[in-house]
């Protein structure tokens, strides 16, 4: 808003200066003494009006912002890779082993999945051991692996072709 106020003030200044210098006021008056009086009067009026305009604050006070609820923020786009759905079915394209970031070292068993919305993503297979191969069907859910870059979804155990974790006895 302050930029708008400055531009209005500058526009008013140029208009007044053009009208005084262009002689539109001077041409209407015949004798020189009245011309000088009118010019000085208009200059004084213009300067006081411009000073008054400069002192107006176009921004809101903190109390007004608090009462109104503050500036309206745009909603951030969701990081959900499923476009708002909690689960999505996918077909395994290939199994991969991903290495985590610096302090961690255990390899993560992942699969590249083509989801039903057409996206291809890397999904983490939780638990110990799996028997996933190409063309298997898995159910994927949201949930990124923090230490593995590029892995934003996880497979659900016990659904479709991915069985529960086998008991170790």
């Amino acid at each position: 808003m302050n930029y708008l106020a400055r531009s209005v003030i500058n526009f008013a200044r140029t208009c007044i200066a053009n009208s005084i210098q262009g002689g539109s006021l001077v041409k209407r008056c015949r004798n020189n003494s009245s011309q000088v009086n009118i010019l000085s009067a208009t200059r004084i009026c213009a300067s006081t009006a411009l000073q008054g305009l400069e002192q107006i604050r176009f921004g809101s006070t903190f109390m007004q912002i608090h009462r109104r609820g503050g500036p309206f923020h745009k909603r951030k786009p969701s990081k959900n890779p499923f476009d708002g759905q909690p689960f999505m079915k996918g077909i395994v394209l290939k199994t991969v082993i991903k290495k985590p970031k610096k302090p961690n070292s255990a390899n993560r068993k992942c699969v590249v999945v083509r989801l039903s919305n057409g996206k291809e993503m890397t999904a983490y297979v939780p638990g110990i051991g799996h028997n996933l191969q190409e063309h298997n069907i898995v159910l994927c859910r949201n949930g990124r692996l923090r230490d593995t870059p590029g892995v934003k979804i996880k497979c659900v155990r016990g659904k479709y072709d991915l069985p529960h974790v086998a008991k170790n006895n």
Side-chain angles (χ1 to χ4, degrees):
M1 287 303 253
N2 289 335
Y3 177 75
L4 177 67
R6 281 193 212 110
S7 61
V8 167
I9 290 167
N10 289 337
F11 181 73
R13 273 191 185 135
T14 54
C15 287
I16 291 169
N18 288 341
S19 66
I20 292 171
Q21 289 171 356
S24 60
L25 291 172
V26 177
K27 288 176 187 172
R28 290 187 184 139
C29 305
R30 295 207 174 136
N31 55 357
N32 280 342
S33 62
S34 64
Q35 286 177 4
V36 172
N37 290 340
I38 290 172
L39 283 175
S40 62
T42 51
R43 281 191 189 122
I44 291 168
C45 271
S47 65
T48 53
L50 290 173
Q51 285 173 358
L53 271 175
E54 286 173 356
Q55 290 174 358
I56 293 172
R57 186 165 174 247
F58 283 87
S60 302
T61 63
F62 284 122
M63 200 58 212
Q64 287 169 336
I65 291 170
H66 176 70
R67 238 182 282 128
R68 192 178 59 230
F72 295 103
H73 297 293
K74 257 199 287 187
R75 223 172 179 184
K76 289 182 183 173
S78 174
K79 289 186 176 181
N80 186 346
F82 300 153
D83 305 323
Q85 298 173 11
F87 297 97
M88 197 168 276
K89 193 157 77 167
I91 298 170
V92 175
L93 298 179
K94 68 176 177 177
T95 59
V96 289
I97 293 175
K98 290 270 208 174
K99 294 198 188 316
K101 285 197 275 189
K102 194 65 181 278
N104 298 337
S105 61
N107 291 332
R108 309 281 183 238
K109 277 58 173 184
C110 302
V111 289
V112 177
V113 177
R114 180 181 286 122
L115 298 170
S116 55
N117 64 359
K119 292 181 182 176
E120 286 185 16
M121 301 193 77
T122 308
Y124 173 65
V125 182
I128 302 166
H130 68 82
N131 61 355
L132 286 178
Q133 302 171 31
E134 200 176 340
H135 305 303
N136 281 2
I137 295 172
V138 290
L139 186 71
C140 297
R141 68 177 174 88
N142 278 315
R144 74 187 185 102
L145 230 63
R146 288 187 185 161
D147 64 353
T148 313
V151 179
K152 293 177 184 152
I153 57 177
K154 294 178 179 177
C155 295
V156 177
R157 300 289 309 228
K159 202 75 178 151
Y160 302 128
D161 294 335
L162 182 60
H164 288 286
V165 178
K167 244 184 175 179
N168 291 338
N169 279 355

